[in-house]
């Protein structure tokens, strides 16, 4: 089946159903936002060891992510290539979401071992859903602009997940601490609740995307088996993908660092309580929905690159100046304003990032004659989680270097300064790098259209000229 046959407009029902599975990000957001402080301040693991635990898990991810993507490419069932993965992961993911935030009091060494294995299991299960789900989005449509619209619904559900995953944890923890004197029980209940919440949304996506995959089962055998080294070579020989991944990776790292360090920033520098912090997270996540149509319209009217540069640039500017220098203790009104203004950057990273990566699938198809969305998104997932884990590792080391003490009533001045710099100028630097990758990307709307036309001619054994898109194939 030609890639060009996937250009029909999608129904609203299909778009919403496709995005539904992204509610699984409720656990992911809670994990990225509060995983480090859970390990350091509640479980009692040192920041450096907690960071090392993340690095061990990401090393495993470096092996498993592309493999899972490739396996989903080769999956051959009556239910399709991607959908069986989404359904199969539902209950195990819910279980790990609970275990991930449950401390059994196993003793210092066994606790470290236990949570290291939980990290590995969590990353593996999240990959087993997210890579096939992302690949499914690239298969459902090959239209340049329709991909932005499709991913808008995915981002919409992620934002609902962000509202819950970012604003509710400390409310739950404070409730169990106040009423039962057991904050650790609150962490455990939160993990279980978020995991169970994801199950019906996995099923929703499985049901609503039935029959929507681009390729039929008879073509699955065309996907050739390749090893990990060949996967790396195949993916990074794709020039537009290299730029898209540089843009996406640094964008994700900036957001990961912001979500991880914000809790330390507001508790230790701003001296806020759990309720104010929860409101800040709520405003940032909830108001992100406002930016979704703005990002879409900017991408449709101008380009995906323009939408990325404007929204991500504004995100970096707000944090560098507002959080890094302007915000002072007691200025909660400004904190709420900054939370709202920073939401656009968080939206564009995934809404436009995923869409630009999807456009790279056809470059690989032209070069190989195969559609390997799973392999490509396996590397996307790898780099996304590498960015998250790497930033947590860096944060752990940085907290040690700036002498952060989780038991201190008041942190040292140099500790506070370090936290402020991490939550401002350092994030701004990561944003600048992501913008440079976006600006230099060779993929455009017109070139993608020409790419699809060439693929169609190639499959029909007609003559074609690659000159207009030659810079995509270098």
């Amino acid at each position: 089946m030609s890639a060009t046959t996937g250009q029909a407009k999608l129904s609203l029902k299909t778009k919403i159903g496709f995005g539904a599975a992204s509610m699984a990000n409720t656990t992911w957001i809670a994990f990225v936002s509060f995983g480090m402080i859970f390990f350091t301040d509640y479980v009692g693991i040192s920041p450096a060891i907690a960071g090392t635990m993340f690095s061990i898990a990401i090393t495993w991810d470096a092996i498993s992510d592309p493999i899972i993507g490739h396996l989903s490419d080769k999956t051959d069932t009556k239910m399709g290539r991607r959908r069986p993965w989404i359904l199969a992961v539902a209950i195990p993911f819910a279980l790990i979401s609970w275990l991930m935030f449950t401390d059994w009091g196993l003793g210092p060494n066994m606790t470290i071992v236990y949570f290291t294995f939980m990290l590995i299991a969590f990353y593996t299960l999240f990959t087993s859903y997210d890579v096939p789900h992302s690949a499914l989005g690239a298969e459902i449509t090959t239209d340049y602009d329709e991909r932005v619209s499709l991913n808008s619904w995915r981002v919409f559900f992620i934002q609902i997940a962000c509202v819950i995953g970012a604003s509710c944890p400390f409310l739950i923890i404070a409730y169990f601490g106040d009423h039962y004197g057991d904050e650790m029980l609150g962490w455990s209940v939160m993990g279980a609740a978020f995991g169970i919440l994801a199950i019906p949304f996995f099923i929703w996506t499985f049901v609503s995307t039935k029959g929507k995959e681009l390729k039929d089962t008879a073509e699955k055998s065309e996907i050739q088996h390749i090893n990990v080294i060949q996967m790396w070579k195949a993916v990074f020989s794709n020039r537009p993908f290299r730029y898209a991944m540089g843009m996406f990776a640094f964008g994700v790292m900036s957001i990961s660092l912001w979500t991880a360090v914000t809790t330390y920033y507001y508790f230790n520098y701003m001296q806020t309580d759990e309720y104010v912090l929860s409101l800040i997270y709520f405003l940032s996540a909830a108001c992100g929905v406002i930016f979704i149509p703005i990002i879409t319209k900017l991408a449709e009217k101008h380009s995906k690159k323009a939408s990325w540069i404007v929204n991500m640039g504004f995100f970096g500017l707000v944090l560098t100046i507002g959080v890094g220098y302007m915000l002072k203790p007691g200025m909660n009104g400004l904190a709420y304003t900054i939370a709202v203004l920073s939401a656009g950057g968080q939206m564009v990273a995934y809404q436009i990032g995923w869409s630009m990566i999807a456009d790279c699938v056809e470059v690989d198809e032209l070069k190989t004659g195969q559609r390997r969305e799973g392999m490509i998104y396996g590397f996307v997932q790898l780099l996304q989680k590498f960015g998250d884990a790497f930033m947590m590792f860096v944060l752990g080391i940085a907290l040690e270097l700036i002498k952060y003490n989780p038991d201190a009533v008041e942190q040292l001045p140099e500790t506070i300064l370090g936290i402020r710099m991490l939550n401002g100028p350092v994030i701004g630097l990561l944003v600048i790098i992501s913008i440079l990758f976006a600006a230099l990307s060779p993929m455009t709307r017109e070139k993608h259209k020409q790419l699809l036309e060439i693929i169609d001619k190639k499959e029909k054994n007609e003559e074609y000229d690659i000159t207009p898109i030659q810079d995509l194939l270098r």
Side-chain angles (χ1 to χ4, degrees):
M1 184 180 295
S2 170
T4 56
T5 61
Q7 293 190 49
K9 294 294 183 180
L10 300 173
S11 68
L12 182 61
K13 180 180 178 181
T14 297
K15 292 178 182 179
I16 295 174
F18 167 75
S22 294
M23 280 297 290
N25 282 270
T26 302
T27 302
W28 180 262
I29 294 299
F31 165 67
V32 172
S33 301
F34 310 118
M36 179 63 79
I37 203 166
F38 170 68
F39 289 143
T40 59
D41 289 31
Y42 291 85
V43 178
I45 299 173
S46 75
I49 292 177
T52 302
M53 289 160 50
F54 282 107
S55 67
I56 292 173
I58 200 60
T59 300
W60 162 249
D61 244 7
I63 301 171
S64 66
D65 281 7
I67 292 175
I68 289 174
H70 183 56
L71 289 175
S72 79
D73 285 335
K74 293 178 67 66
T75 297
D76 186 357
T77 74
K78 293 181 179 179
M79 295 182 291
R81 296 198 288 176
R82 321 296 180 183
R83 294 168 60 250
W85 289 80
I86 296 171
L87 182 64
V89 81
I91 293 177
F93 182 83
L95 178 63
I96 290 299
S97 295
W98 166 53
L99 295 175
M100 185 75 176
F101 289 104
T102 302
D103 182 12
W104 300 98
L106 301 175
N109 293 332
M110 284 305 299
T111 293
I112 292 171
V113 172
Y114 167 78
F115 279 113
T116 300
F117 276 106
M118 287 303 104
L119 280 168
I120 292 171
F122 179 73
Y123 275 128
T124 302
L125 285 169
F126 193 84
T127 295
S128 298
Y129 130 72
D130 199 43
V131 170
H133 186 220
S134 300
L136 180 62
E139 267 189 64
I140 286 177
T141 178
T142 59
D143 184 84
Y144 182 88
D145 292 312
E146 193 73 351
R147 281 173 167 169
V148 178
S149 177
L150 179 66
N151 279 297
S152 295
W153 284 101
R154 187 179 181 185
V155 171
F156 173 78
F157 279 99
I158 287 177
Q159 279 313 105
I160 297 176
C162 284
V163 171
I164 300 170
S167 63
C168 291
F170 274 109
L171 296 179
I172 296 171
I173 293 157
Y175 175 83
F176 277 87
D178 294 341
H179 291 79
Y180 300 99
D182 192 346
E183 291 184 329
M184 294 304 292
L185 178 60
W187 283 103
S188 184
V189 170
M190 178 269 293
F194 289 177
I196 293 170
L197 174 66
I199 294 176
F201 290 93
F202 280 128
I203 297 172
W204 185 0
T205 294
F206 175 80
V207 172
S208 65
T209 55
K210 181 180 180 181
K212 301 299 182 182
E213 289 186 89
L214 179 63
K215 297 175 72 67
D216 59 43
T217 55
E219 295 174 289
K220 306 298 192 309
S221 60
E222 294 181 3
I223 304 299
Q224 302 170 358
H225 176 74
I226 56 177
N227 60 39
V228 175
I229 295 176
Q230 290 172 320
M231 290 181 198
W232 279 88
K233 289 181 178 179
V235 170
F236 287 98
S237 65
N238 187 326
R239 186 168 181 254
F241 179 82
R242 295 197 299 268
Y243 283 95
M245 280 316 306
M247 175 196 79
F248 184 70
F250 281 97
V252 167
M253 282 194 286
S254 70
I255 294 168
S256 297
L257 181 58
W258 177 79
T259 54
V261 78
T262 288
T263 306
Y264 292 95
Y265 178 90
Y266 281 102
F267 278 166
N268 294 282
Y269 171 59
M270 293 292 290
Q271 297 293 309
T272 58
D273 58 24
E274 291 90 345
Y275 301 101
V276 171
L277 180 63
S278 295
L279 180 55
I280 288 170
Y281 274 119
F282 172 81
L283 289 171
S284 179
C287 292
V289 177
I290 299 172
F291 285 89
I292 293 176
I294 297 173
I295 292 168
T296 300
K297 290 296 182 183
L298 188 58
E300 291 176 348
K301 185 175 182 180
H302 298 285
S303 69
K304 296 176 184 179
K305 292 196 291 186
S307 187
W308 178 279
I309 292 169
V310 170
N311 287 282
M312 187 59 72
F314 189 64
F315 169 75
L317 189 65
V318 167
L319 291 184
T320 300
I321 297 177
V323 173
Y325 298 100
M326 293 178 61
L327 204 53
K328 306 294 181 185
M331 299 172 65
N332 289 350
L334 180 58
Y336 300 146
T337 302
I338 289 173
V340 172
L341 295 176
S342 66
Q346 300 168 63
M347 295 299 93
V348 78
Y350 295 100
Q351 187 176 346
I352 298 298
W354 280 321
S355 177
M356 290 182 70
I357 291 162
D359 296 335
C360 302
V361 171
E362 283 76 44
V363 176
D364 181 65
E365 182 180 9
L366 177 60
K367 296 172 72 173
T368 67
Q370 303 176 78
R371 288 193 65 85
R372 303 187 292 190
E373 294 94 338
M375 182 187 72
I376 288 174
Y377 274 97
F379 281 91
V380 173
Q381 184 61 35
L382 164 64
L383 292 177
Q384 176 185 342
K385 288 186 291 185
F386 175 80
D388 290 333
F390 179 70
M391 283 297 101
M392 288 188 180
F393 174 74
V394 169
L395 178 59
I397 299 300
L399 290 173
E400 291 276 1
L401 292 175
I402 62 177
K403 301 177 182 179
Y404 172 76
N405 181 1
D407 298 320
V409 176
E410 187 174 333
Q411 300 293 334
L412 296 172
E414 57 264 38
T415 304
I416 296 299
L417 178 61
I419 291 173
R420 289 176 62 195
M421 293 301 100
L422 285 170
N423 207 26
V426 174
I427 292 174
L429 177 61
L430 295 172
V431 167
I432 290 172
I433 297 173
S434 81
I435 288 175
L436 289 175
F437 274 105
L440 295 173
S441 173
M443 183 63 79
T444 64
R445 178 185 287 105
E446 182 59 32
K447 287 182 181 178
H448 187 261
K449 180 181 177 181
Q450 293 169 336
L451 176 63
L452 291 178
E453 291 172 351
I454 290 171
I455 291 173
D456 190 46
K457 290 180 179 180
K458 182 180 179 182
E459 292 183 351
K460 293 177 180 177
N461 293 317
E462 298 176 358
E463 291 188 4
Y464 58 89
D465 179 16
I466 65 169
T467 302
I469 62 164
Q470 202 162 18
D471 60 333
L472 302 182
L473 306 176
R474 291 208 301 265

